[in-house]
Amino acid sequence: MQRIVERATALFAVWTVLGVGWAWIVPAHFTWITTTQVAGQSLISVLLGIIMLGMGLTLTVEDFARVLKMPRGVAAGVVLQFTVMPLAGVSLALMSGLETGLAVGLILVSCCPGGTASNVVAYLARANLALSVTMTMASTLVAIVMTPLLTGWLGGVFIAIDRWALFQQMVAIVLVPVVLGVAMRRLLPVITRKVAKVSPLVSVVVVVLIVGGIVGVSKSLIEAHFGVLLLAVFALHVVGFTLGYLLPRLLGFAAPECRTLSIEVGMQNSGLGASLASAPSFVSQFSNPMQAALAPVPSAISSVYHVVIGSFLAGIWARQARSENDVG
């Protein structure tokens, strides 16, 4: 059973593409996700909280201690995550002439941390998996403060953004579920260990549902901005993967660490971006409802691009790693 779960999780790129394709063809099968409320909260926020809870369930005290054991790699990754991607996001938003909603949405997803899917890609790429897991954890926790600050600063070029409201959203859908997951693993180790075995696959399913919902409800908007939108989001991830590899290489990191940092920088938590962009407190920042509806769209497109590019690179790097081992 565990092997089946692992194999299904490793195919997350396939599920994402299939889910988006399904949502594009039959939007009604997914649009309910964007309109459903649970205890006064949007279902998207609740689903993202489940992903973050799953992440917390997989973390141990040793995971936090690893930050101290590999400070150089983690520090480089966090700095690159919150400089390369946000600067690329605002630059592309300005150069491509995106409408306000799309521009702010692109900046928002560029200011998000790395996603948990990056750990799967790092494993497939034969990169440094321990560094990948530690980086995802570190960037997610740092993002609680950095994502609101950077989005407010860079997105302020287009509209005024309430950073405090964004910070409150980050605490509610990121920090609280992660802390709860860590606490549950500590207090209920037997149960949570079993749940943690399937949580990565659950995360994949939830991300597909979130992205499918946004694609389904935004189909007409995506069609209206198809070319420039796809190009801008694609360029964002190309810059992330490329500089995420080259800059650590210049800093003297070994190939496995460069691959890891490239994956961590190039892959964003698009589900988080979509959830934040759909939150009422964020939507209210826009004077035009049409622009507010555009804001989550870049995150939905991002979720497809980063898993496809990441999986493609993982295949190349895995072959390189095998060749290096054979030569060694």
Side-chain angles (χ1 to χ4, degrees):
M1 181 64 182
Q2 184 61 31
R3 193 170 297 175
I4 294 174
V5 170
E6 290 174 355
R7 288 178 178 175
T9 303
L11 293 172
F12 70 94
V14 175
W15 306 136
T16 302
V17 173
L18 289 176
V20 168
W22 184 357
W24 187 264
I25 297 170
V26 193
H29 288 178
F30 288 85
T31 50
W32 58 272
I33 296 166
T34 65
T35 57
T36 303
Q37 297 281 315
V38 178
Q41 296 292 320
S42 71
L43 180 58
I44 289 180
S45 295
V46 174
L47 290 174
L48 186 69
I50 291 173
I51 294 177
M52 293 296 106
L53 177 65
M55 179 181 176
L57 291 175
T58 64
L59 296 176
T60 64
V61 175
E62 290 72 25
D63 292 318
F64 292 94
R66 272 205 304 266
V67 175
L68 301 177
K69 295 179 180 178
M70 48 181 75
R72 186 166 175 263
V74 174
V78 170
V79 170
L80 290 172
Q81 178 74 62
F82 294 107
T83 54
V84 169
M85 294 302 276
L87 292 175
V90 70
S91 299
L92 288 165
L94 292 169
M95 290 189 298
S96 58
L98 291 173
E99 289 198 31
T100 300
L102 293 176
V104 173
L106 183 67
I107 291 170
L108 175 59
V109 74
S110 74
C111 294
C112 286
T116 53
S118 62
N119 304 148
V120 179
V121 172
Y123 170 75
L124 296 175
R126 296 195 176 186
N128 187 327
L129 185 57
L131 177 58
S132 177
V133 173
T134 308
M135 255 296 302
T136 300
M137 178 195 70
S139 68
T140 298
L141 295 178
V142 171
I144 294 168
V145 173
M146 292 304 296
T147 296
L149 286 178
L150 289 170
T151 303
W153 175 41
L154 300 174
V157 173
F158 297 92
I159 62 168
I161 294 175
D162 188 340
R163 303 179 197 188
W164 174 244
L166 202 53
F167 172 74
Q168 290 176 307
Q169 281 291 310
M170 291 293 291
V171 170
I173 62 181
V174 176
L175 182 61
V176 172
V178 169
V179 171
L180 180 60
V182 173
M184 288 175 62
R185 180 170 180 128
R186 183 84 172 176
L187 299 174
L188 304 167
V190 177
I191 296 175
T192 53
R193 215 171 284 129
K194 293 179 180 179
V195 175
K197 291 179 180 180
V198 298
S199 62
L201 181 57
V202 172
S203 296
V204 170
V205 173
V206 169
V207 168
V208 171
L209 289 174
I210 292 174
V211 172
I214 292 171
V215 168
V217 79
S218 308
K219 181 178 178 179
S220 60
L221 299 176
I222 296 174
E223 288 176 326
H225 304 86
F226 200 74
V228 65
L229 173 62
L230 294 187
L231 183 60
V233 180
F234 178 74
L236 173 68
H237 289 291
V238 168
V239 169
F241 280 108
T242 302
L243 294 184
Y245 185 90
L246 293 179
L247 293 178
R249 199 65 169 166
L250 292 175
L251 293 172
F253 284 93
E257 283 67 42
C258 291
R259 294 166 187 159
T260 305
L261 293 174
S262 173
I263 292 166
E264 288 298 323
V265 175
M267 297 187 69
Q268 299 297 94
N269 191 332
S270 302
L272 174 60
S275 179
L276 293 174
S278 304
S281 59
F282 193 83
V283 170
S284 65
Q285 305 298 301
F286 294 88
S287 57
N288 185 336
M290 179 64 73
Q291 297 302 322
L294 288 171
V297 175
S299 292
I301 304 302
S302 166
S303 68
V304 179
Y305 272 139
H306 77 193
V307 297
V308 171
I309 296 172
S311 297
F312 174 75
L313 290 174
I316 294 174
W317 285 334
R319 286 194 295 271
Q320 289 179 349
R322 284 193 293 267
S323 298
E324 291 166 0
N325 291 336
D326 291 341
V327 171

